Amino acid sequence: AQSVTQLDSQVPVFEEAPVELRCNYSSSVSVYLFWYVQYPNQGLQLLLKYLSGSTLVKGINGFEAEFNKSQTSFHLRKPSVHISDTAEYFCAVTTASYNQGGKLIFGQGTELSVKP
Amino acid sequence: KAGVTQTPRYLIKTRGQQVTLSCSPISGHRSVSWYQQTPGQGLQFLFEYFSETQRNKGNFPGRFSGRQFSNSRSEMNVSTLELGDSALYLCASSLVGTVSSYEQYFGPGTRLTVT
């Protein structure tokens, strides 16, 4: 079975500072990894994904993440945050199996709070 | 291209009643998944449908059911509602047949309140 751990439930940061949201996963099979963002009273928006290839993936809004297979991590980073980045961020994993299509396992979420 | 749409956006029901939620996927997406989001349990997978067949199911009681129509639209039903069913129900759609099928795109959700 797969599992995802987001190591920080809340991350406060000042505007224009860098930020890292940490995510570790556990799986005995190959995985695909995702970061989603959720703004208040909205659904989830896909920020970025790791499916294969380069371990450094770039997403929308200036975010990037690095897949580290040996550390089983997929940390999300942004070099300079804005007030508008205040939201909840979810790390998710799914297995590379066609028959298991559609099942994302989510972490508990990290609430990013950007202060002026 | 229009995104995933869910109706209704908000629902208030009484314990013991049943409810049906609807989801229309992005055009061309044939897989639809449902998730429940609560403050205590977070985001949990309910089930996934492809080609009108349930392909995967999470750990929820039989009161939670779903179906998919030939046009890929999906509905989920919760019978005999309990207070603990109060949650945001999210629908997601994805392509099928390529590695991109693992990317899921979410709708805005249906906020269900059970009183």
Side-chain angles (χ1 to χ4, degrees):
Chain A
Q2 295 73 44
S3 66
V4 177
T5 302
Q6 290 184 242
L7 298 161
D8 306 291
S9 58
Q10 295 180 319
V11 173
V13 64
F14 287 106
E15 193 174 19
E16 296 183 10
V19 71
E20 178 180 79
L21 306 184
R22 297 179 295 166
C23 172
N24 286 97
Y25 70 92
S26 172
S27 177
S28 59
V29 298
S30 296
V31 295
Y32 297 134
L33 295 156
F34 306 85
W35 276 98
Y36 284 87
V37 60
Q38 186 175 37
Y39 299 100
N41 300 314
Q42 293 188 28
L44 302 176
Q45 181 181 10
L46 181 62
L47 265 182
L48 48 76
K49 60 188 181 281
Y50 172 76
L51 301 179
S52 65
S54 172
T55 56
L56 182 64
V57 293
K58 295 189 183 297
I60 62 172
N61 301 342
F63 284 94
E64 64 180 32
E66 185 160 17
F67 171 53
N68 187 320
K69 190 173 182 179
S70 62
Q71 301 288 324
T72 61
S73 68
F74 191 54
H75 301 333
L76 180 70
R77 303 184 183 99
K78 186 170 182 177
S80 175
V81 294
H82 304 289
I83 298 287
S84 59
D85 292 324
T86 295
E88 188 147 25
Y89 292 78
F90 293 93
C91 181
V93 64
T94 190
T95 58
S97 165
Y98 176 79
N99 289 331
Q100 291 212 16
K103 182 176 180 177
L104 284 172
I105 306 299
F106 285 91
Q108 287 297 309
T110 297
E111 197 176 315
L112 175 63
S113 176
V114 182
K115 304 176 187 306
Chain B
K1 191 183 277 191
V4 178
T5 58
Q6 293 186 244
T7 56
R9 292 292 311 278
Y10 302 92
L11 266 178
I12 300 176
K13 290 287 188 178
T14 303
R15 268 181 304 176
Q17 289 185 315
Q18 74 164 12
V19 66
T20 299
L21 313 181
S22 181
C23 171
S24 292
I26 292 170
S27 177
H29 285 196
R30 295 167 58 200
S31 168
V32 174
S33 300
W34 290 89
Y35 296 83
Q36 181 196 64
Q37 185 178 24
T38 60
Q41 299 299 315
L43 281 153
Q44 293 185 288
F45 172 77
L46 279 157
F47 29 64
E48 184 250 356
Y49 286 86
F50 164 64
S51 194
E52 303 178 63
T53 300
Q54 188 181 87
R55 194 164 56 168
N56 209 343
K57 188 178 189 307
N59 296 323
F60 278 82
R63 299 186 297 107
F64 292 82
S65 63
R67 60 177 175 169
Q68 186 181 36
F69 302 95
S70 59
N71 62 357
S72 297
R73 191 177 69 84
S74 177
E75 291 181 344
M76 69 163 281
N77 184 277
V78 188
S79 62
T80 320
L81 284 165
E82 301 177 358
L83 294 178
D85 297 333
S86 293
L88 180 67
Y89 289 89
L90 292 162
C91 165
S93 73
S94 64
L95 292 167
V96 174
T98 71
V99 70
S100 296
S101 65
Y102 294 99
E103 300 176 40
Q104 292 187 30
Y105 294 87
F106 284 79
T110 294
R111 173 74 63 185
L112 172 64
T113 302
V114 182
T115 62

